[in-house]
Amino acid sequence: MVDVLALVEARLRTALGDPDARAAVTFLGTDRVEVLRFQDDNQDGTVVRYATLGMSAQPMSDPTATLADPVAGPRAELVLSVRGGLADTDKVLRPLAVLAASPQVEGVVVAPGASLDVGEPLWPGAPFTSVLVAEPGGLVEDLALDAPLDPVRFLPLLPMTPNEAAWKRVHGAQALQERWLTNGTDLRDPSRKSVPLD
């Protein structure tokens, strides 16, 4: 059996460099989930990226299916990017691990356009309690696995304020992303305000 997580970590290292920290979280009845932290220093300052490692070990299965397929089904890991040094964002490790474990715990399929809510600030003082799952393929390319396994997709997470999350439920993910784009919203700003929604 192919070691999916070893391949996933290799793909993350190729795309993001070597992680400078990692933490593991285990929830009762689930596989261990690790969160890796990568720092990207460029002319605009430091961007910190957090990537889950463990979510893709099992395929996600349709919650209405009576029996989960142990092989076929979508696989994913989550990636969150924030500007470094502006907030205590390292505390996002546990919320990220909770989200990564949600397919095993709650039987949900995490896909682009979905909202994921942790019910508390993503880190101390954060104006966000939920994230929008964005389209994969930009930062980290999909990882193809041997058939019949589905590829692993690396899904970017975009933090949403409660107002944005409520607006998205009514108008949809595409409309919210267009609103962010129109307003030049810096989605990596860990303390940004809600985009104008009227």
Side-chain angles (χ1 to χ4, degrees):
M1 185 65 187
V2 62
D3 185 349
V4 172
L5 296 185
L7 296 173
V8 167
E9 182 166 351
R11 172 57 54 92
L12 286 169
R13 286 173 178 270
T14 300
L16 305 176
D18 291 329
D20 68 346
R22 61 197 305 151
V25 182
T26 307
F27 303 100
L28 195 63
T30 68
D31 296 333
R32 187 170 103 135
V33 174
E34 285 191 276
V35 179
L36 280 54
R37 185 181 72 187
F38 302 86
Q39 299 230 31
D40 178 12
D41 296 306
N42 56 41
Q43 67 273 17
D44 298 332
T46 302
V47 174
V48 184
R49 306 189 196 283
Y50 301 94
T52 63
L53 179 63
M55 182 177 172
S56 61
Q58 309 284 338
M60 294 182 276
S61 57
D62 185 333
T64 60
T66 48
L67 199 61
D69 190 317
V71 177
R75 294 173 188 261
E77 296 290 353
L78 307 175
V79 182
L80 174 72
S81 301
V82 291
R83 295 206 177 282
L86 302 176
D88 188 8
T89 55
D90 281 354
K91 297 284 197 310
V92 79
L93 299 178
R94 186 167 178 79
L96 267 184
V98 168
L99 296 178
S102 62
Q104 282 187 66
V105 176
E106 298 168 31
V108 296
V109 176
V110 177
S115 300
L116 304 176
D117 197 319
V118 295
E120 62 184 27
L122 291 176
W123 52 83
F128 320 106
T129 58
S130 62
V131 292
L132 174 65
V133 182
E135 290 291 335
L139 191 62
V140 186
E141 284 184 36
D142 292 357
L143 171 65
L145 301 174
D146 293 339
L149 303 183
D150 285 28
V152 177
R153 303 169 84 200
F154 298 87
L155 302 171
L157 301 180
L158 308 175
M160 292 188 292
T161 66
N163 284 350
E164 289 170 340
W167 197 85
K168 180 253 174 190
R169 279 194 291 277
V170 175
H171 300 279
Q174 185 68 40
L176 178 58
Q177 288 180 294
E178 284 169 10
R179 185 62 61 108
W180 282 336
L181 202 57
T182 304
N183 285 273
T185 306
D186 180 3
L187 296 172
R188 293 177 181 165
D189 181 349
S191 52
R192 71 173 180 83
K193 302 283 184 270
S194 184
V195 73
L197 297 169
D198 34 296

